[in-house]
Amino acid sequence: MSDSNNTPEDKNRVVENKLASSQEHARKAVEATKKAAQAAYEEGKTHIAAAAQDLGDAANAKYGEIRNQVGQAAQDYTGRARQAFSDATIQAKGFQEESEQYIRENPLQAVGIALGVGFVLGLIMRR
């Protein structure tokens, strides 16, 4: 049968069938696209959750490392400060002993120096 032998009703039926067929294909394509998008979303969500967990673990590890470094530095500085205080105390005791020895050996000079220092400090304090 050729197209020229088809009646207008036949042609309309063919058009309607083709239209219905194309609508069915479009509906299936939309459904397939929805399913693919949902699967991609779920997979992406899983990867993002894993990446967030990895990032959190890395941040916690780095925090622990930095905390340990800071603790170690604090201990080092505490030890250095104690040593400096100890050294300063020893040095101050040495100066005190030397001063006492000088005063015993030169009492008049020590009194003269003390008067001079007192006089100068008094002048400075008045201004």
Side-chain angles (χ1 to χ4, degrees):
M1 289 193 183
S2 71
D3 286 342
S4 60
N5 293 337
N6 289 340
T7 65
E9 292 85 22
D10 289 340
K11 289 181 181 179
N12 280 340
R13 251 183 278 129
V14 169
V15 169
E16 287 175 2
N17 287 341
K18 294 290 183 183
L19 183 59
S21 175
S22 95
Q23 286 175 340
E24 182 63 23
H25 287 295
R27 185 187 62 74
K28 287 180 180 179
V30 167
E31 286 178 14
T33 302
K34 281 182 182 179
K35 287 179 183 177
Q38 183 65 31
Y41 168 76
E42 292 298 327
E43 185 176 346
K45 186 170 73 170
T46 301
H47 289 298
I48 288 172
Q53 181 65 41
D54 290 345
L55 182 60
D57 293 345
N60 284 335
K62 192 63 173 176
Y63 169 75
E65 180 183 327
I66 290 170
R67 186 182 63 214
N68 289 339
Q69 289 174 349
V70 168
Q72 184 62 44
Q75 287 178 353
D76 291 347
Y77 287 122
T78 300
R80 289 179 186 175
R82 286 184 180 149
Q83 184 62 44
F85 180 76
S86 175
D87 292 347
T89 302
I90 291 169
Q91 194 172 19
K93 286 181 182 179
F95 288 144
Q96 181 182 0
E97 290 171 2
E98 288 176 15
S99 298
E100 288 174 0
Q101 182 66 30
Y102 180 80
I103 292 170
R104 283 190 194 104
E105 291 175 0
N106 304 299
L108 290 177
Q109 285 180 338
V111 171
I113 291 171
L115 284 173
V117 170
F119 180 72
V120 170
L121 286 176
L123 289 176
I124 292 173
M125 296 294 247
R126 285 187 186 181
R127 291 183 186 191

